[in-house]
Structure formats: C-alpha cells, structure tokens
Amino acid sequence: MCTKTKYETIVGLEVHVQLSTKTKAYCRDKNKYGESPNSCISPVTLGYPGTLPKINSEVINRAIKLGIALNCKISKYNLYSRKNYFYPDLPKGYQITQDKTPICTGGYIEIPNKKINITRIHMEEDAGKSIHDIDPKNSLVDYNRAGVPLLEIVSEPEIRSTQEAYSYLKEIRKIVRYIGVSDGNMEEGSLRCDANISVRPYGSNVLRNRVEVKNINSFKNVMRAIELEVARQIKCYENNIDVNQETRNYNASDNSTTVLRSKEDAHDYRYFTEPDIPPVVISQKTIDEIKVTMPILPKQKFIFYTQKLKLSEYDSKILSNEKLFSEFFDKIIKHTKNYKSAANIMLGVVKSYLNKKSIQVNDLPISAINIAKLSDMLSEGKINKTVIENSIFPLMIKTMKSPQEIAVENKLFQIDDSCQIENLIDKAFKKFPQKVIDFNNGNSNLIGLFMGEIMRDSNGKLNPKKINEILIKKLKNEIK
Ligand code: MN
C-alpha cells in the first residue's frame, strides 16, 4: 500500500492580513508599502521611552467588518496585551496584540463543499523588516512596516489537503479585497501565512504533534510547504521516528523546511495587559452601523446570479469574484433582461479587453447602459458575437457611441436574407465539391468546414443559426 494514502493531512492556518489603512495601528505614521526606508517613522514607531500608543479607530472598524463578513461573533470588550520578545526589527521589544480577548471569535470560511471554522481573529501590529542581502557586512533595518496594523485569522485544524488550504487562502483574499480592508497582495506581504501541520492514520481522531511552518509568502508555496512537511512526517512515522513539536522555516529558494526552534526552547512571551491602552468597548450600535455599510458579499451575489438570473455556476462565480466587476454587471442588468447575453459579453470581449489593457472595469470607456443595449442586440439576433468582437466593441471604445449607432453607420446588422445565404452556400459547394459527396457518405463533421467558409465569406454578418438551418437542408438536397 502506498504510505501516502494511509495518512490523513491535518492543517490549521494562521493568516496575517495587513490592513490598508492610511496610518499605523497605534500612531499617525503613514502606512504605505514601497516608501523609501525609514521615512514613515516617528518616536512612537521607534518605541522611544515616554511615547504612548493611541488606538486607530479605523483598525477596529475593519476588524469588525471582517468579523461580520466571516460570520464571527464580535467581542464587545477588548483588551490589548504585550507579547514580549527581542528582535532587531521590533524596536519596543514587544508587540502590542490581543491575547485573551480577540475581537472576533467563531465564524467560518466557505470553500468548495466545506466550511472551515475560524477560532479567532485578533488585532495586532507588524514588525519592521531586517534586510540581510544588500550590505555584504551588515544587516539593515527598515522600520516603515513597524506598527502597521494586522488582523490575524486563526483557523481550526480542519483543512485536510493542500487544495483545501489553497482554496481557503483564496477565499480570504477575495473577501478582504471585497470589503476593502486590505489589498490582499501576497507578493507585497499583505497576506502572510503560517501553517500548523500534522498527519495521522485514517480513522484515528487523535491529533499528533504538529509542526508550525513559518514564512510562507505565496499561494503556490503554501501548497508546497504543506506537501513537504506531510511527506517528511509520514517518513518519520513509517520509520518509527517521533515527529517533534517544533517550528520550521520554509525556504522558497530551494523548497525546503529547516528547524527554527524546538518545543524545548519555545518562546515564553510573558504576555501581560498593555498598560498604555485602556480597554476598548464596542457598542452594538457601532456594529449595526458597520453592518449597514457592508457590500453584498460574493457568496450572496453567486446565489442571486444562479437562482434569480439563472446563469451558470461557472459564469456566476467569475461574475461575483471581484467587487468592481460584479457591481458593473449589476448596473447592466438594471437595463436589460437578457442576462445570459450580458454575462457572455462581460466574460468574453469585456474581460479580455480589461486583461489586455491591465485595467479595472471602472476604467472601461463604455457605460453599463451601452453594454445592456449591446446585450439586447445580441440576444435578439440583430448582431452576432464575431461582429461584436471584431467591429462593434472596438468602435464603442474608440467612438463612445451607442452600439445601435455604430451598427447602423457601419452596416453591421446581421443578415437574415435566405437568398444571400443560399448564394454563399452554393459558392462554398462549388469550391469543395468532394466534401459535399463526403458529407452525404456520412462525414457529418464537414458542417463545420462549410460554416467557417460561409461566415468568412460574409464577414461574419450572416446569422449563423440561419446559415446552419439552410446549409443542412441544402446538403441533404431538401432544397436546390
Ligand atoms: Mn501574529
């Protein structure tokens, strides 16, 4: 038996979400990625004696938002704690975090076919950055990131595969972007992930020693790190070696993990309540006010698109994935009932244009009303997809005119004229006489060849449905 199938993978994730607030968590220094080193710092960030932290209320608002989006209970009474440890990029010598009173508890994240429960979400601050690869002799420190607000989302150990871990993270990124609390860029460190990993034989319900893998900085590496660690632990058990409870570092450069610290030298963070920040009490009124400002979440949109608009699950998923894109679609469907055509246009010609130009839908120089009109014209068979892609859409961008005007001016309406269609079919038959014989001998695939030829010949302006109809009749000699 393959040993891999004998063991079950158990993963819990700790995800740090960096908030895109204007200022830092406990002072008014700028919170911005990519500024020149040590330019967003003040005595508070640097932890000078005598300075005092002050709560940034926007951090609390965003924590509540995330809690609501993830179905959590919001704690009314919030204390802050000091988590003490020494590190060169932690100038105070401690991190201000929430220990015993996380702002959110419970809740869950939905991934395909499953809910992953959330243990807690707490507010804390980021550390600065140590840089070891610029100066050959010295390590450098950039304190711009010190004090940047973080929300740490801790999941229950309910993730059972690398794919589930990936889906879970993707869902977090989608939601934090949707509700606008973070840009969710993993490459810039706005989403960072530590994984608690263990394995056990299928059928067992005992949790074995877990290993925490830190420093995972991309979606792909989350899967790689879990795979590596699962394989390593299975190998240990198969050789009767104990798996130690320890923290390991993931090294992206050579796709390996190495021991950072074992349980024996585990940190004692000497948590105690932060004396410089009074308890933060959140009223039900504040929570209710934030609830009202919440956008409709992707999951609810998905349900609306599939159930009310009868769109396919595939289309609905892509349409609901990004906030701006789905809001634009929602504007379109206020002006048309041809939802399927509107979805086809959005997911086809519009999406590929946005991708090609690397722009967001709000930079599209076409109004939602004109896309709605275009959807109607497509749905009514006045124009076809090819004409939209090749002529009308590019002209809508160029001229900002309505699709109706463009179609009239450029004579782009689909032709239903049977006579013209028959002439083109005859022409195609003359060009490929042998293929007509082959078709009648049973090669029905040749329909495609004739369709392509005739569409090309008519510059895509003929109604394909009608061509198909007449073509089949003609091939079968039903009409001469
Ligand atoms: Mn943390």
Side-chain angles (χ1 to χ4, degrees):
M1 187 183 180
C2 166
T3 52
K4 241 186 158 177
T5 56
K6 241 165 78 180
Y7 291 90
E8 185 178 29
T9 299
I10 314 280
V11 177
L13 291 181
E14 293 170 14
V15 178
H16 284 91
V17 179
Q18 204 177 69
L19 300 182
S20 54
T21 49
K22 286 205 183 79
T23 56
K24 292 187 181 178
Y26 309 114
C27 72
R28 290 165 73 176
D29 291 349
K30 194 156 76 172
N31 169 21
K32 199 168 172 217
Y33 180 83
E35 296 293 279
S36 64
N38 297 309
S39 63
C40 308
I41 56 171
S42 68
V44 184
T45 287
L46 295 176
Y48 281 16
T51 57
L52 287 173
K54 198 170 176 293
I55 290 291
N56 177 349
S57 60
E58 184 55 21
V59 174
I60 295 172
N61 288 343
R62 290 185 186 210
I64 296 171
K65 261 191 175 174
L66 185 62
I68 294 170
L70 301 185
N71 321 289
C72 300
K73 187 172 167 283
I74 312 294
S75 310
K76 302 263 166 71
Y77 186 74
N78 285 273
L79 289 173
Y80 291 79
S81 292
R82 288 189 184 178
K83 181 180 180 181
N84 296 279
Y85 60 101
F86 176 77
Y87 214 75
D89 55 26
L90 188 74
K92 293 194 295 289
Y94 58 85
Q95 178 193 35
I96 303 180
T97 178
Q98 291 191 290
D99 176 28
K100 299 222 163 54
T101 60
I103 185 158
C104 309
T105 54
Y108 56 87
I109 288 174
E110 283 183 82
I111 61 170
N113 309 317
K114 192 169 171 180
K115 272 180 189 170
I116 306 292
N117 285 300
I118 293 165
T119 316
R120 58 185 279 159
I121 303 173
H122 58 261
M123 303 182 280
E124 58 185 31
E125 62 178 329
D126 214 338
K129 230 183 240 172
S130 297
I131 301 153
H132 309 291
D133 56 359
I134 292 182
D135 189 299
K137 290 207 177 81
N138 304 293
S139 281
L140 308 175
V141 192
D142 176 7
Y143 287 117
N144 282 353
R145 200 178 67 179
V148 162
L150 299 175
L151 294 177
E152 181 174 340
I153 308 170
V154 182
S155 86
E156 291 290 305
E158 295 177 346
I159 294 164
R160 290 289 175 271
S161 66
T162 51
Q163 186 54 49
E164 284 186 9
Y166 182 80
S167 304
Y168 175 86
L169 272 182
K170 270 269 161 89
E171 195 60 26
I172 289 186
R173 185 175 70 175
K174 184 161 90 182
I175 290 173
V176 298
R177 285 182 172 171
Y178 227 89
I179 61 175
V181 299
S182 168
D183 60 33
N185 274 338
M186 235 175 159
E187 311 73 51
E188 294 179 358
S190 319
L191 267 191
R192 301 201 294 276
C193 173
D194 302 334
N196 289 299
I197 304 162
S198 64
V199 299
R200 67 182 173 200
Y202 275 105
S204 157
N205 48 21
V206 182
L207 286 175
R208 292 186 166 182
N209 276 350
R210 65 185 158 85
V211 170
E212 180 176 6
V213 180
K214 283 192 170 295
N215 194 23
I216 309 173
N217 57 1
S218 78
F219 283 94
K220 215 192 274 164
N221 289 346
V222 174
M223 299 173 75
R224 281 184 177 155
I226 295 172
E227 247 158 47
L228 267 180
E229 189 49 30
V230 164
R232 193 188 68 83
Q233 291 185 19
I234 290 175
K235 202 170 161 197
C236 284
Y237 288 125
E238 286 294 307
N239 291 296
N240 290 317
I241 301 166
D242 279 340
V243 169
N244 295 324
Q245 186 140 339
E246 62 194 10
T247 306
R248 298 178 77 91
N249 191 52
Y250 177 72
N251 313 301
S253 54
D254 60 352
N255 191 37
S256 69
T257 64
T258 39
V259 181
L260 212 56
R261 53 179 180 263
S262 66
K263 199 185 177 187
E264 286 68 41
D265 52 41
H267 268 296
D268 174 8
Y269 292 117
R270 292 168 291 123
Y271 281 100
F272 61 87
T273 304
E274 164 64 64
D276 289 337
I277 301 178
V280 171
V281 178
I282 299 166
S283 68
Q284 187 58 44
K285 191 171 156 257
T286 306
I287 298 171
D288 292 342
E289 277 167 8
I290 292 173
K291 258 188 197 154
V292 175
T293 68
M294 294 289 288
I296 299 169
L297 293 171
K299 176 79 194 177
Q300 295 156 272
K301 290 225 169 175
F302 176 83
I303 293 171
F304 177 75
Y305 294 157
T306 49
Q307 295 184 359
K308 293 272 183 273
L309 307 188
K310 306 283 178 218
L311 296 174
S312 72
E313 291 201 354
Y314 180 82
D315 287 358
S316 303
K317 195 158 177 65
I318 308 178
L319 284 168
S320 60
N321 250 340
E322 292 163 58
K323 187 161 168 266
L324 287 175
F325 197 74
S326 85
E327 280 175 353
F328 192 78
F329 182 69
D330 293 344
K331 269 190 220 159
I332 296 170
I333 57 172
K334 283 200 179 111
H335 303 280
T336 176
K337 293 256 174 307
N338 294 309
Y339 309 128
K340 179 68 192 152
S341 294
N344 286 345
I345 290 169
M346 283 302 283
L347 300 178
V349 70
V350 172
K351 206 158 180 52
S352 63
Y353 177 79
L354 298 178
N355 288 345
K356 202 175 81 197
K357 296 272 168 186
S358 292
I359 55 169
Q360 294 280 338
V361 74
N362 48 344
D363 295 319
L364 185 74
I366 300 179
S367 70
I369 294 179
N370 276 340
I371 298 278
K373 283 184 189 156
L374 191 63
S375 311
D376 290 341
M377 287 161 71
L378 175 66
S379 209
E380 288 156 14
K382 289 182 185 157
I383 49 172
N384 62 42
K385 213 176 125 239
T386 319
V387 168
I388 294 180
E389 278 164 15
N390 296 341
S391 313
I392 300 187
F393 186 78
L395 283 169
M396 282 171 84
I397 291 192
K398 213 170 142 194
T399 64
M400 317 257 281
K401 286 182 181 168
S402 79
Q404 180 78 20
E405 275 177 277
I406 291 170
V408 171
E409 281 171 19
N410 300 278
K411 300 195 176 62
L412 293 170
F413 284 112
Q414 201 159 252
I415 300 160
D416 269 343
D417 179 2
S418 320
C419 226
Q420 198 173 343
I421 292 174
E422 281 188 44
N423 285 339
L424 285 174
I425 292 175
D426 288 338
K427 201 170 144 205
F429 283 3
K430 242 177 231 154
K431 194 165 163 193
F432 302 108
Q434 185 56 42
K435 302 284 181 200
V436 179
I437 298 167
D438 292 348
F439 176 87
N440 284 311
N441 287 334
N443 189 351
S444 54
N445 290 334
L446 287 165
I447 285 272
L449 171 110
F450 288 117
M451 282 297 290
E453 179 68 19
I454 297 157
M455 287 300 282
R456 216 174 4 260
D457 224 12
S458 74
N459 294 321
K461 275 195 288 181
L462 291 176
N463 184 345
K465 240 174 152 178
K466 193 116 187 195
I467 300 175
N468 196 276
E469 228 168 77
I470 301 176
L471 177 63
I472 289 172
K473 279 189 187 154
K474 267 184 138 358
L475 278 167
K476 289 184 180 162
N477 244 328
E478 283 166 20
I479 39 175
K480 292 274 169 197

